[in-house]
Amino acid sequence: MEHKELGLLAIKAKEKSVPTYSNFHVGAALLTEEGKTYLAGNIETSSYSLTICAERNAIFQAITAGERKFSAIAIASDTPGYCPPCGACRQVILDLCGDIDVVMINGKNEILVKKAAELLPLAFGNKDLV
Ligand code: THU
């Protein structure tokens, strides 16, 4: 699947968002190596810090469904600019998906693609637990 197409799915995934407190809709579309996609939005609770970002929601759903190999994740928000993944999501993307393509799509449907490792230099990981 093309990055642009995955980005458009991330825009669609915003419909799954439940941003009760921030009203900031984020959508994520995660692509497996076999071509399956998992769509999710951010979900907020009254205990704000228990919010789950769209990216982590999509990744945890995919992992729970048994997926282990991924090729890209796309992220979209309602702002005109790109929505870069937060720090926590960068850790989770790199740890659970590997050095995949992170596709950000803006309000003009333009895309910006970065590698997960590029977004989290000197990352802590499994290799550091020994
Ligand atoms: N959010 C995401 O879902 N992904 C990001 O990468 C950035 C932030 C959500 C969390 C919260 O629900 C809202 O956006 C505002 O921070």
Side-chain angles (χ1 to χ4, degrees):
M1 178 181 289
E2 298 284 328
H3 284 143
K4 181 74 169 281
E5 193 183 345
L6 190 66
L8 293 174
L9 285 177
I11 290 174
K12 177 87 182 147
K14 285 190 297 177
E15 292 170 11
K16 296 174 178 288
S17 169
V18 186
T20 311
Y21 301 94
S22 70
N23 201 32
F24 188 75
H25 295 76
V26 183
L30 176 64
L31 179 65
T32 70
E33 274 189 5
E34 289 181 338
K36 190 166 177 188
T37 52
Y38 288 82
L39 308 187
N42 54 323
I43 299 177
E44 298 179 352
T45 78
S46 59
S47 183
Y48 304 152
S49 63
L50 301 183
T51 289
I52 182 87
C53 290
E55 300 93 312
R56 275 178 291 147
N57 193 1
I59 291 167
F60 293 153
Q61 285 191 41
I63 297 277
T64 301
E67 305 289 356
R68 292 294 183 271
K69 292 181 182 296
F70 305 97
S71 58
I73 188 166
I75 307 149
S77 76
D78 283 335
T79 59
Y82 297 111
C83 182
C86 78
C89 288
R90 292 177 194 214
Q91 179 72 38
V92 171
I93 292 168
L94 194 58
D95 248 346
L96 297 182
C97 305
D99 192 16
I100 61 171
D101 291 333
V102 178
V103 179
M104 291 156 269
I105 186 162
N106 70 13
K108 292 180 180 168
N109 290 353
E110 297 162 333
I111 59 169
L112 172 67
V113 184
K114 299 281 182 188
K115 283 285 181 185
E118 199 181 343
L119 293 176
L120 195 63
L122 204 65
F124 178 81
N126 185 267
K127 65 180 188 326
D128 303 303
L129 288 172
V130 290

